[in-house]
Amino acid sequence: MAQCLADLDGLFLALADPTRRAVIHRLGHGPASVGELAREATMTLPSFMKHVRVLETNGLIHTAKSGRVRTCTLNRERFTVVEDWLARQRRLWEERTDRLEQFVTDSTHSMEKRTS
Amino acid sequence: MAQCLADLDGLFLALADPTRRAVIHRLGHGPASVGELAREATMTLPSFMKHVRVLETNGLIHTAKSGRVRTCTLNRERFTVVEDWLARQRRLWEERTDRLEQFVTDSTHSMEKRTS
DNA sequence: TTGATACTTAGCTCTTGCGCTAAGTGTTGT
DNA sequence: ACAACACTTAGCGCAAGAGCTAAGTATCAA
């Protein structure tokens, strides 16, 4: 729970790169090997691997090596940490909007009382 | 539209800092001055101002100066760019899950045909 | 007018992120 | 055995991010 606050730093940072978002997008269609993913990127394999590591250490993907091939899979649940944060902020604004509406409604009632 | 892709880099980067997320959280309750926001942060004003600028240049907040006070307001609409991206990825997985279920269902039918 | 207030600018460190090359490890196919 | 393959490690260079201090500007209050 308290961990989630720290997690957000890494998660948002991991998502703040087009190469990594492209990997996520690709893995949305199903698992893929590092080589397969790297072919679509415009950089050397070692550079690309770093991106894969970032995604993995932040829990956005899971990887497993079988023979000489490392296969990557999307970890869908992890995205809810980000989505939940966004939802919490949104709820905050909406609560405030509700209070503002309440205020306006109350004022209208007061005016009605005054005018009637 | 095409701009949104580049925007995501900056947006996610802007959100990848606890100080900046704290500002967003605070502004969720309503507008506030830079000084007011800075008081809650554990750093000098010039350092804090940089965070405010990052949030502003990425469109997450709007600021306006009146006299010597700069007031910050949350730009709620901007968050949809991030939310939409997350929703798009999620839709992708769900489409795939649907196809997998379809496949499983089809296989079951085939087996039924075979076993019956 | 003068002092306090609320930023604002300039410029400096230190760390981290992102790319590269070169060389190494473990598997697989012949 | 040995070459090709699929990473993997090590280490370098550059650019950007996040913090600081010191000094400047523009209100506002008395």
Side-chain angles (χ1 to χ4, degrees):
Chain A
M1 249 303 172
Q3 197 61 22
C4 284
L5 295 169
D7 283 6
L8 285 167
D9 281 25
L11 282 170
F12 278 124
L13 204 60
L15 295 171
D17 183 285
T19 302
R20 292 194 289 260
R21 284 198 308 277
V23 169
I24 288 168
H25 184 84
R26 167 63 190 79
L27 292 180
H29 296 91
S33 71
V34 168
E36 201 171 335
L37 293 168
R39 231 164 286 137
E40 296 166 27
T42 58
M43 65 183 71
T44 61
L45 194 59
S47 302
F48 182 77
M49 272 301 293
K50 287 192 184 176
H51 289 293
V52 173
R53 291 280 176 225
V54 170
L55 289 170
E56 190 178 19
T57 58
N58 284 288
L60 288 167
I61 69 170
H62 172 253
T63 81
K65 197 159 186 179
S66 157
R68 60 185 171 183
V69 175
R70 180 173 294 277
T71 304
C72 307
T73 326
L74 206 57
N75 185 12
R76 303 178 182 192
E77 302 87 53
R78 196 69 174 138
F79 288 79
T80 61
V81 176
V82 174
E83 288 167 332
D84 286 355
W85 183 83
L86 285 165
R88 272 204 304 284
Q89 306 315 309
R90 204 165 263 287
R91 199 162 54 237
L92 221 63
W93 318 335
E94 273 149 23
E95 276 169 17
R96 182 170 174 259
T97 306
D98 289 350
R99 279 201 302 280
L100 283 177
E101 276 170 5
Q102 192 69 37
F103 174 77
V104 170
T105 310
D106 288 357
S107 302
T108 310
H109 286 168
S110 304
M111 281 177 71
E112 276 170 4
K113 276 180 187 169
R114 228 176 291 137
T115 49
S116 61
Chain B
M1 250 304 174
Q3 196 60 25
C4 283
L5 295 170
D7 283 6
L8 285 168
D9 281 26
L11 283 171
F12 278 123
L13 205 60
L15 294 172
D17 182 285
T19 302
R20 291 194 289 260
R21 285 198 307 277
V23 168
I24 287 167
H25 183 84
R26 167 63 190 78
L27 292 180
H29 295 91
S33 71
V34 168
E36 202 173 334
L37 293 167
R39 231 164 285 138
E40 296 166 28
T42 60
M43 65 182 69
T44 60
L45 193 60
S47 302
F48 182 77
M49 271 302 292
K50 286 192 184 174
H51 290 293
V52 173
R53 292 282 176 223
V54 169
L55 290 170
E56 190 177 19
T57 58
N58 284 288
L60 288 167
I61 67 170
H62 171 253
T63 82
K65 198 160 185 178
S66 156
R68 60 187 170 178
V69 175
R70 180 173 294 277
T71 304
C72 307
T73 325
L74 206 58
N75 186 12
R76 302 177 182 192
E77 302 86 54
R78 196 68 175 139
F79 288 79
T80 61
V81 176
V82 173
E83 287 167 332
D84 286 355
W85 183 82
L86 285 164
R88 272 203 305 283
Q89 306 315 308
R90 203 164 264 288
R91 200 161 52 238
L92 220 63
W93 319 334
E94 273 149 24
E95 276 169 18
R96 181 170 174 259
T97 307
D98 288 351
R99 279 200 304 277
L100 283 177
E101 275 171 6
Q102 191 69 39
F103 174 76
V104 170
T105 309
D106 288 357
S107 302
T108 310
H109 286 168
S110 305
M111 281 177 69
E112 275 169 5
K113 277 180 186 169
R114 227 176 292 139
T115 49
S116 63

